């Protein structure tokens, strides 16, 4: 079974631009979560989607948004990029039924210049 | 409320000696507990999970953890460290119902040859 796939793996943007990151969950997984990881703040929860609906949201500004499609694939968007948005963005999928274990992708490394 | 405290931000051990990474949690409900490992520029990989079955949980790569409800602890151990164990380790708590996960701040493990 293929794992969680995130694209792109690496990208460089400049301040003020916007970026879209993509996540394909494990087949059959309907829940997709996004996390931001930085050296200073550690792992911070962004949001979680289930069946195209945002169920939970972390404490991030409105510049961070996401969506989920009918095939469970998810995208997150960051608009008006700031230097502090430089981070590893991790996507995780899980089966809602069962033990709630998270399966992570390898992440998208965003650098904002 | 749920929270996770990893008591050591950095642990350094010699190759072949035991590893102990400490984790305490607080949860109002019966929690599921996980340990994840992250190698540089990679996503998180599940080492092991506790979901109210046996209190001593065995995971991959020789790691194990013991759930101690009286101490609200879930420490990760390994009898003999290997160079490949050098990584960041995260303790995670979630509720069995719902899909919210709470991450510790991580413990960086260094293995000295």
């Amino acid at each position: 079974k293929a794992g969680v796939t995130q694209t792109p793996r690496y990208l460089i943007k400049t301040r003020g631009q916007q970026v879209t990151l993509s996540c394909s969950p494990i087949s059959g997984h309907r829940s997709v979560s996004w996390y931001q990881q930085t050296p200073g703040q550690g792992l911070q929860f962004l949001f979680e989607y289930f069946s195209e609906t945002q169920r939970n949201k972390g404490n991030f500004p409105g510049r961070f948004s996401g969506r989920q499609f009918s095939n469970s694939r998810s995208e997150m968007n960051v608009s008006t990029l700031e230097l502090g948005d430089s981070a590893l963005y991790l996507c995780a999928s899980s089966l809602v039924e069962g033990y709630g274990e998270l399966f992570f992708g390898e992440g998208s490394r965003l650098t904002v210049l | 409320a749920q929270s996770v405290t990893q008591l050591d931000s950095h642990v350094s051990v010699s190759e072949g000696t035991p590893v102990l990474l400490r984790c305490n949690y607080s949860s109002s409900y019966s929690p599921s507990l996980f340990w994840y490992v992250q190698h540089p520029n990679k996503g998180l990989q599940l080492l092991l999970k506790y979901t109210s079955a046996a209190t001593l949980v065995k995971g991959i790569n020789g790691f194990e953890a013991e759930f101690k409800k009286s101490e609200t602890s879930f420490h990760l151990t390994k009898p003999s460290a290997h160079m490949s164990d050098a990584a960041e380790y995260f303790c995670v708590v979630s509720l069995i119902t719902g899909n919210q996960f709470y991450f510790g701040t991580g413990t960086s493990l260094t293995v000295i040859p």
Side-chain angles (χ1 to χ4, degrees):
Chain A
K1 200 182 243 189
V4 177
T5 304
Q6 291 188 246
T7 57
R9 288 292 317 280
Y10 301 91
L11 65 167
I12 299 173
K13 294 286 188 178
T14 57
R15 280 181 299 176
Q17 288 187 311
Q18 74 163 12
V19 66
T20 299
L21 309 177
S22 178
C23 173
S24 293
I26 292 172
S27 177
H29 286 195
R30 297 165 66 190
S31 170
V32 173
S33 305
W34 288 89
Y35 294 82
Q36 182 196 65
Q37 186 177 29
T38 59
Q41 299 296 320
L43 269 162
Q44 293 187 285
F45 171 72
L46 280 156
F47 26 66
E48 186 227 352
Y49 287 87
F50 176 74
S51 292
E52 302 178 65
T53 299
Q54 187 181 90
R55 293 201 303 184
N56 297 301
K57 190 178 192 304
N59 189 25
F60 277 82
R63 300 185 297 107
F64 292 80
S65 63
R67 59 178 175 169
Q68 187 180 34
F69 301 95
S70 58
N71 62 358
S72 294
R73 190 177 70 85
S74 177
E75 290 181 347
M76 68 163 282
N77 184 276
V78 187
S79 62
T80 319
L81 284 166
E82 301 176 358
L83 295 179
D85 297 333
S86 295
L88 181 66
Y89 290 88
L90 291 164
C91 169
S93 72
S94 68
L95 279 170
V96 178
E97 303 81 14
Y99 302 116
E101 173 186 338
L102 291 174
F103 294 82
F104 283 86
E106 295 207 320
S108 293
R109 169 79 59 188
L110 171 64
T111 301
V112 182
L113 302 176
Chain B
Q2 284 65 236
S3 71
V4 181
T5 302
Q6 291 186 241
L7 298 165
D8 307 291
S9 58
H10 300 279
V11 170
S12 185
V13 301
S14 296
E15 190 176 16
T17 64
V19 176
L20 170 64
L21 306 183
R22 299 182 293 166
C23 173
N24 286 106
Y25 71 92
S26 67
S27 175
S28 306
Y29 306 95
S30 297
S32 291
L33 294 160
F34 308 82
W35 276 99
Y36 282 83
V37 61
Q38 184 181 32
H39 289 91
N41 292 313
K42 297 288 188 181
L44 279 69
Q45 179 186 18
L46 181 70
L47 276 177
L48 50 80
K49 62 184 178 184
Y50 165 78
T51 53
S52 76
T55 56
L56 181 62
V57 182
K58 293 188 183 299
I60 62 171
N61 300 335
F63 285 94
E64 62 181 39
E66 186 172 7
F67 173 70
K68 292 187 176 180
K69 187 174 182 178
S70 61
E71 299 175 11
T72 61
S73 69
F74 190 58
H75 301 335
L76 181 70
T77 60
K78 182 174 181 177
S80 177
H82 191 272
M83 294 299 294
S84 61
D85 295 328
E88 189 87 13
Y89 292 79
F90 294 92
C91 182
V92 184
V93 63
S94 80
L95 302 182
I96 290 179
T97 56
N99 217 31
Q100 298 200 43
F101 294 82
Y102 301 87
F103 284 77
T105 52
T107 298
S108 176
L109 175 65
T110 299
V111 182
I112 303 166

